[in-house]
């Protein structure tokens, strides 16, 4: 009996060492705790005080139920799965192999304004502010005119806390757009103008004249897309049929203090 207790204690120490190293509680972690004989109180306490990444699909829940996970713990897992603290936030597309790939944000390389020249000609002529991306093609290439995108947000995770803790999203950067926003409606989809000779792509981000100025994407250039809620803060975004060309999603919501909205999520349709 004494040897059995020592064995159980050793297994517990190994388990908590693994959990500490992983820093994320998963379905498998919960099953392992059940197999080690932890009661519901201990499991629930561990879930509530750890980063989590749960699969709450019917098949996954069935597997945990068969493993002896209680209904109370399963209910908590379902609730936590809607706002996983280690969720893969961002915009994803389906590649040619059928896998989901993250669209990394591309930073504007510069801006162009013809304001000075136009003001010399006439105060009635508007000038355009243009943001530019290097290269004439995106690294994210889609071979369909009817792409589907997955937007994943995590508004429960404070952007301020991430800055203070020096922790970004799973991509290793400050993925603040998806911790500040909560819906694809806070983004616009636009087609980029390709400048072959200058080897860049650009988009109009504002207009200026002698008497007025405006910033942001002109609504008439925003392309339509449909939004379907998949679960919690996960959405499927389906644009209307897109012609071959260069496109990007641009965040148009409120920008938190200390953030610089100088990036877009670009892709090519071929």
């Amino acid at each position: 009996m004494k040897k059995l207790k020592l064995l159980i204690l050793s297994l517990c120490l190994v388990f908590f060492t693994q959990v500490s190293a992983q820093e994320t509680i998963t379905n498998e972690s919960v099953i392992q705790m059940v197999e080690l004989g932890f009661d519901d109180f201990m499991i629930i306490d561990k879930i509530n005080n750890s980063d989590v990444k749960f699969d709450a699909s019917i098949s996954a829940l069935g597997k945990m139920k068969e493993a002896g996970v209680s209904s109370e713990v399963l209910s908590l897992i379902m609730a936590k799965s809607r706002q996983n603290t280690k969720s893969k936030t961002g915009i994803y597309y389906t590649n040619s192999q059928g896998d989901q790939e993250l669209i990394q944000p591309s930073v504007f390389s510069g801006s162009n304004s013809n304001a000075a020249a136009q003001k010399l000609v006439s105060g009635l002529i508007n000038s355009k502010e243009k943001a530019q991306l290097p290269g004439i093609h995106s690294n994210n290439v889609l071979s369909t005119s009817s792409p589907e995108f997955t937007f994943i947000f995590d508004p429960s995770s404070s952007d301020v806390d991430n800055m203070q803790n020096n922790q970004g999203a799973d991509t290793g950067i400050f993925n603040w757009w998806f911790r500040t926003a909560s819906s694809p409606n806070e983004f616009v989809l636009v087609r980029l103008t390709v400048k072959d000779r200058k080897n860049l792509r650009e988009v109009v981000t504002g207009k200026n004249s002698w008497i007025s100025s405006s910033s942001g994407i002109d609504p008439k250039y925003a392309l339509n897309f449909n939004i379907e809620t998949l679960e919690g803060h996960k959405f499927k975004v389906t644009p209307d049929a897109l012609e071959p060309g260069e496109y990007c999603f641009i965040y148009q919501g409120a920008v938190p203090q200390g953030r610089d909205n100088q990036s877009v999520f670009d892709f090519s349709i071929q």
Side-chain angles (χ1 to χ4, degrees):
M1 181 64 69
K2 185 176 181 180
K3 290 184 177 179
L4 179 60
K5 289 182 178 179
L6 289 174
L7 176 61
I8 293 176
L9 178 59
S10 298
L11 290 174
C12 290
L13 289 173
V14 170
F15 170 76
F16 280 114
T17 300
Q18 291 177 341
V19 169
S20 176
Q22 295 172 350
E23 298 183 345
T24 303
I25 299 296
T26 64
N27 295 31
E28 290 71 24
S29 303
V30 173
I31 292 175
Q32 190 175 5
M33 284 190 281
V34 171
E35 292 175 345
L36 289 172
F38 296 171
D39 60 27
D40 283 359
F41 176 81
M42 294 178 65
I43 296 174
I44 291 172
D45 183 66
K46 188 63 182 175
I47 291 174
N48 285 329
N49 290 282
S50 303
D51 289 323
V52 300
K53 185 178 181 182
F54 289 128
D55 177 2
S57 63
I58 294 176
S59 59
L61 291 174
K63 181 179 178 181
M64 287 190 287
K65 186 68 176 178
E66 291 175 357
V69 179
S70 71
S71 297
E72 186 176 3
V73 173
L74 288 176
S75 295
L76 179 60
I77 288 173
M78 291 173 66
K80 289 286 188 178
S81 70
R82 300 188 187 102
Q83 295 182 343
N84 283 339
T85 57
K86 288 293 183 182
S87 59
K88 296 284 188 177
T89 58
I91 302 175
Y92 294 79
Y93 70 94
T94 304
N95 62 22
S96 57
Q97 287 74 43
D99 299 322
Q100 290 277 300
E101 287 199 18
L102 178 68
I103 298 181
Q104 298 284 3
S106 296
V107 181
F108 289 129
S109 61
S111 61
N112 179 34
S113 174
N114 55 356
Q118 290 187 353
K119 287 179 180 179
L120 289 174
V121 177
S122 172
L124 299 177
I125 299 179
N126 290 329
S127 64
K128 296 179 179 180
E129 295 285 345
K130 300 177 182 179
Q132 301 171 335
L133 290 173
I136 59 175
H137 295 298
S138 170
N139 292 324
N140 305 301
V141 180
L142 287 71
S143 58
T144 174
S145 61
S146 302
E148 292 184 354
F149 299 90
T150 302
F151 281 60
I152 303 179
F153 300 91
D154 187 8
S156 64
S157 179
S158 169
D159 183 60
V160 174
D161 290 341
N162 287 328
M163 293 179 68
Q164 292 176 343
N165 297 330
N166 196 29
Q167 294 175 345
D170 292 340
T171 56
I173 64 170
F174 287 131
N175 209 7
W176 62 265
W177 302 274
F178 305 96
R179 302 179 188 278
T180 301
S182 59
S183 166
N185 281 322
E186 295 176 66
F187 291 76
V188 294
L189 173 62
V190 296
R191 184 168 184 173
L192 298 167
T193 300
V194 177
K195 300 292 186 179
D196 292 286
R197 291 186 178 180
K198 296 181 179 180
N199 191 34
L200 57 81
R201 294 157 289 157
E202 64 181 20
V203 60
V204 176
T205 57
K207 294 182 179 180
N208 297 289
S209 71
W210 284 105
I211 58 176
S212 65
S213 64
S214 62
S215 61
I217 303 300
D218 191 323
K220 70 180 180 181
Y221 296 120
L223 303 177
N224 184 59
F225 55 79
N226 297 313
I227 302 173
E228 177 186 346
T229 302
L230 299 178
E231 58 176 347
H233 297 288
K234 184 177 182 179
F235 303 85
K236 181 172 76 173
V237 171
T238 309
D240 292 346
L242 300 176
E243 298 179 354
E246 301 297 314
Y247 299 85
C248 72
F249 287 101
I250 304 178
Y251 176 67
Q252 293 288 277
V255 178
Q257 185 177 1
R259 296 302 190 196
D260 188 359
N261 191 29
Q262 292 296 314
S263 300
V264 297
F265 300 85
D266 60 308
F267 61 94
S268 296
I269 296 293
Q270 295 186 354

